[in-house]
Amino acid sequence: MRQSAGLWPINESAGSKPPGWTGWPDGKKFALVFTHDVESKDGIGNVRQLAELEMSYGFRSSFNFIPQGPYEDPAGLRRWLVDNGFEVGVHDLNHDGQLYESRESFTRKAKYINDYLKDWDAVGFRSGFMLHQLDWLHDLNILYDASTFDTDPFEPQPDGSETIFPFLVKSPGGDGNSGYVELSYTLPQDSTLFLLLRETTPRIWKQKLDWITRHGGLALVNIHPDYIDFTKSGSSSSTYSSDLIAEFMKYARENYEGMFWNPLARELAQWYRDGISNPVNNQACGIPQENLNLPPQP
């Protein structure tokens, strides 16, 4: 963590508002979005408990499932989530780290991913291991991608977007407003905090949330149900207590009630997309005309 001081968990340059940014819907100070990547059979078994925990605090979230991974398609669970106001997204294809091994193979895999997007009525995608090749993702029929982060030196592909705001990844040869929305996660992943760094409290989540609030950005977190222990038996090398998530949600409610917008990821992306598509509403939606593409890369 010392080597990352000044860049993680907070990179001050990521807090700069895009030119022309006028804010979130209904005058909210910031947006708070929960997402979940489900990567194992244990994770499948914890999905409903995690969703019910979120509902108890008045939150809804997005759950991303692997189409051809270590578990069968949980069709019934997906229906239950949607019926209860949650979102379902696609998480990679095989989650084997090979999604971007070549342009040719990605083109082939994209056809399968698009089939799952259609079958699941999903509009969001996230790559395994947060690997990203944003230009290639135009092959997918998506509204948004969530495979990037503002800053995270612990990832295998650690180049960050350096922004806590959504942005458009323009389609090559498009009209300038076509493309998909990129939603970077801006709170550290649970696996980084509680398994890799062995944090015993959500203090870093709280610290980063406070900072994002001051800058009026998007607080987006990725929590894996695979690693959560709901039994109250204590954390292990591969799990952490659900109490840490509950403490964070309670903190957000008690300190920022009425100040944040808690949309599903697809709702936030659609709001942003609509603002780009309708120039008359750009300012009302906080959409800056000058920043409709990738943020500057280091």
Side-chain angles (χ1 to χ4, degrees):
M1 289 179 64
R2 290 179 181 175
Q3 294 178 342
S4 303
L7 294 176
W8 186 92
I10 292 172
N11 180 350
E12 288 292 343
S13 65
S16 299
K17 291 182 174 65
W21 179 265
T22 58
W24 300 102
D26 301 320
K28 298 299 184 183
K29 190 171 180 62
F30 67 102
L32 177 58
V33 173
F34 292 88
T35 68
H36 310 291
D37 294 345
V38 187
E39 300 177 350
S40 67
K41 292 180 181 178
D42 288 343
I44 291 289
N46 282 342
V47 164
R48 187 159 179 162
Q49 289 183 88
L50 178 55
E52 289 173 341
L53 176 62
E54 289 177 329
M55 285 191 286
S56 72
Y57 283 93
F59 292 114
R60 293 297 188 274
S61 64
S62 304
F63 285 83
N64 303 312
F65 296 96
I66 304 170
Q68 299 178 10
Y71 50 78
E72 296 295 323
D73 175 16
L77 181 59
R78 288 193 289 105
R79 285 193 295 270
W80 181 88
L81 287 168
V82 173
D83 288 346
N84 282 277
F86 293 84
E87 175 186 355
V88 168
V90 173
H91 186 30
D92 207 276
L93 179 62
N94 309 111
H95 204 277
D96 57 2
Q98 302 301 310
L99 184 63
Y100 302 111
E101 61 180 340
S102 73
R103 187 67 179 90
E104 181 181 4
S105 68
F106 180 80
T107 299
R108 184 177 64 254
K109 293 173 182 177
K111 296 177 182 178
Y112 292 104
I113 294 171
N114 281 331
D115 286 341
Y116 287 106
L117 286 163
K118 182 178 180 180
D119 289 346
W120 295 359
D121 192 27
V123 297
F125 179 78
R126 178 179 279 148
S127 306
F129 309 103
M130 297 299 171
L131 299 175
H132 42 274
Q133 189 65 258
L134 300 187
D135 289 344
W136 296 5
L137 292 184
H138 292 294
D139 288 3
L140 302 184
N141 300 323
I142 54 175
L143 173 64
Y144 73 90
D145 172 67
S147 305
T148 60
F149 38 84
D150 65 330
T151 179
D152 194 339
F154 301 100
E155 288 302 309
Q157 189 180 343
D159 54 316
S161 64
E162 295 194 2
T163 183
I164 56 171
F165 295 88
F167 58 91
L168 181 72
V169 183
K170 292 182 181 179
S171 298
D175 62 5
N177 289 339
S178 61
Y180 64 86
V181 178
E182 185 64 24
L183 303 178
S184 301
Y185 71 78
T186 56
L187 298 178
Q189 293 196 71
D190 60 338
S191 52
T192 299
L193 291 186
F194 307 127
L195 301 185
L196 178 63
L197 301 179
R198 308 306 301 171
E199 289 285 323
T200 58
T201 73
R203 66 177 185 87
I204 293 178
W205 274 349
K206 295 177 183 179
Q207 175 191 5
K208 185 70 178 282
L209 181 65
D210 292 344
W211 180 82
I212 291 173
T213 301
R214 291 195 297 272
H215 289 78
L218 165 61
L220 190 153
V221 65
N222 184 34
I223 296 172
H224 300 77
D226 316 76
Y227 308 134
I228 304 172
D229 176 19
F230 286 98
T231 67
K232 311 296 183 183
S233 61
S235 62
S236 68
S237 60
S238 58
T239 63
Y240 65 89
S241 173
S242 60
D243 290 344
L244 298 176
I245 300 172
E247 181 180 341
F248 175 70
M249 290 189 291
K250 181 179 179 181
Y251 179 84
R253 281 295 179 198
E254 290 183 346
N255 289 273
Y256 297 113
E257 184 67 42
M259 298 173 62
F260 60 83
W261 179 35
N262 172 227
L264 299 174
R266 69 187 299 161
E267 293 171 339
L268 191 153
Q270 189 64 62
W271 165 79
Y272 193 85
R273 174 79 269 172
D274 288 347
I276 293 170
S277 300
N278 186 351
V280 174
N281 291 333
N282 281 343
Q283 290 301 307
C285 293
I287 308 300
Q289 284 295 291
E290 300 88 344
N291 193 43
L292 297 183
N293 206 338
L294 296 172
Q297 295 296 310

